[in-house]
Amino acid sequence: MTSIRRRATAAVLGLAAVAVSAACTVDGQPVREGGAVGSDTGHVDTSRFDKLLAECEVLPAATIAKAVGGTTAESNFFGANCRWSVLPQQIDVTFNWFEWGDYNLEKETAQHLGFTTENISVQSQAAFTQRDPARPAVCGVTAKSPAGGIFTWWVEPEGQQAGDACAAPVKLMELILTGAN
């Protein structure tokens, strides 16, 4: 009987919490940061962004493949993160460019996730490596972008690889920081 009373009490309290929160209102109108009331229609003219996914073409697929020790790279996703599968070794490569990304926040996040980080310099640019102790063959390298924000390259080989796991993402970072393509 006690168990039924607890469930009933919990259900009543849950419904009361929903009712109270549904009755809350906030004065004003929602607008995006920096906008003015009535100025944001919500419509975006995507034809103005003809190079929206150009960051995924920052390096040719053949250059990516060669940098990580493969022969071909096939793109398999273009979006917020750009991804390639490099063959024949089956190496996954990921690139992202967060135009408003914060270098220190990215590093803190990696550490919070349990990754080990090491400060390095790539083409005179502040950078750091990030490694997951549970996957020693995987390495990511993040650097400040000269145009603002941050770049990150991740290289994930299937299985163990000989040598320094961070050599390939460092090489990819060198290539984009020098404008090689």
Side-chain angles (χ1 to χ4, degrees), residues 85-174:
S85 291
V86 177
L87 302 170
Q89 297 89 337
Q90 189 55 46
I91 300 170
D92 293 327
V93 176
T94 305
F95 172 70
N96 60 50
W97 175 13
F98 296 123
E99 291 88 348
W100 298 282
D102 181 271
Y103 178 86
N104 293 322
L105 179 61
E106 192 75 9
K107 187 172 185 181
E108 289 169 11
T109 301
Q111 292 169 340
H112 179 74
L113 292 172
F115 293 3
T116 58
T117 61
E118 180 183 348
N119 292 330
I120 61 172
S121 177
V122 180
Q123 296 296 317
S124 301
Q125 193 69 275
F128 66 90
T129 61
Q130 44 194 319
R131 299 177 192 228
D132 180 353
R135 300 181 306 152
V138 177
C139 182
V141 174
T142 297
K144 293 181 179 181
S145 164
I150 55 171
F151 293 140
T152 301
W153 283 101
W154 279 97
V155 176
E156 299 186 47
E158 192 173 286
Q160 293 294 342
Q161 298 284 324
D164 179 11
C166 292
V170 167
K171 178 65 177 170
L172 291 165
M173 191 65 73
E174 288 172 352

Side-chain angles (χ1 to χ4, degrees), residues 4-130:
I4 293 173
R5 283 186 186 160
R6 284 187 204 155
R7 287 186 199 152
T9 302
V12 168
L13 290 175
L15 287 173
V18 168
V20 167
S21 66
C24 294
T25 60
V26 176
D27 291 334
Q29 291 182 296
V31 294
R32 65 180 169 81
E33 186 176 341
V37 174
S39 67
D40 196 356
T41 64
H43 300 288
V44 176
D45 180 7
T46 57
S47 66
R48 293 179 34 222
F49 302 101
D50 61 331
K51 298 195 187 290
L52 188 58
L53 299 177
E55 62 266 16
C56 293
E57 297 169 357
V58 68
L59 292 176
T63 302
I64 294 169
K66 184 178 177 184
V68 301
T71 55
T72 61
E74 299 172 0
S75 63
N76 55 30
F77 183 80
F78 277 16
N81 295 304
C82 312
R83 297 186 190 130
W84 298 265
S85 291
V86 177
L87 302 170
Q89 297 89 337
Q90 189 55 46
I91 300 170
D92 293 327
V93 176
T94 305
F95 172 70
N96 60 50
W97 175 13
F98 296 123
E99 291 88 348
W100 298 282
D102 181 271
Y103 178 86
N104 293 322
L105 179 61
E106 192 75 9
K107 187 172 185 181
E108 289 169 11
T109 301
Q111 292 169 340
H112 179 74
L113 292 172
F115 293 3
T116 58
T117 61
E118 180 183 348
N119 292 330
I120 61 172
S121 177
V122 180
Q123 296 296 317
S124 301
Q125 193 69 275
F128 66 90
T129 61
Q130 44 194 319

